[in-house]
Amino acid sequence: QVQLVESGGGLVQAGGSLRLSCAASERTLSSYFMGWFRQAPGKEREFVAAITRNGVTTYYADSVKGRFTVSRENAKNTLLLQMNSLKPEDTAVYYCAADRDYIRTSYSTPSEYDYWGQGTQVTVSS
């Protein structure tokens, strides 16, 4: 079972940038399809981005496309999310998640993922 720990959240002004990291507890991050999700107060957890095991293919929610970039450094067991041009509506707790399956119905559905981090708070002020 892999353990995931997010870091890099904080308070930033609108238009600013943050880079989130997700560190895995074991040297097998390359075994997992990875995703980023976020959850704002009173709202459901929503998909942000995902990346295949080899990092070749990425997927994004329409709301972050062109502003966020997901990447992974398997040798360092690290998943990254570069967030640029941040908006107040990006404010949420951000979670990384790992999917051990090779076949999935949807990369944007939280229930498809098997392991989750504890989350890191991102707050964007206007």
Side-chain angles (χ1 to χ4, degrees):
Q1 179 173 345
V2 64
Q3 294 183 330
L4 304 172
V5 178
E6 302 94 337
S7 61
L11 173 64
V12 64
Q13 289 187 334
S17 298
L18 283 175
R19 189 174 82 158
L20 304 184
S21 297
C22 172
S25 62
E26 57 186 49
R27 296 184 179 182
T28 57
L29 188 67
S30 59
S31 299
Y32 299 94
F33 181 96
M34 299 296 295
W36 285 99
F37 290 78
R38 66 187 182 187
Q39 188 166 17
K43 295 187 176 181
E44 294 186 351
R45 192 166 298 190
E46 66 172 359
F47 170 73
V48 175
I51 187 168
T52 54
R53 286 171 172 78
N54 59 9
V56 171
T57 303
T58 56
Y59 307 90
Y60 296 95
D62 288 342
S63 58
V64 307
K65 200 171 295 184
R67 300 187 298 121
F68 290 11
T69 302
V70 60
S71 62
R72 63 194 299 163
E73 298 179 0
N74 287 338
K76 296 182 179 180
N77 294 309
T78 301
L79 176 72
L80 301 170
L81 184 68
Q82 178 66 42
M83 305 186 296
N84 298 328
S85 302
L86 283 161
K87 304 175 181 180
E89 50 264 44
D90 294 319
T91 295
V93 177
Y94 283 71
Y95 300 88
C96 64
D99 180 1
R100 63 191 174 195
D101 295 329
Y102 285 83
I103 299 174
R104 65 191 54 80
T105 303
S106 168
Y107 56 77
S108 62
T109 302
S111 61
E112 292 284 337
Y113 293 78
D114 303 293
Y115 307 109
W116 292 82
Q118 84 290 345
T120 185
Q121 176 70 47
V122 171
T123 303
V124 184
S125 63
S126 57

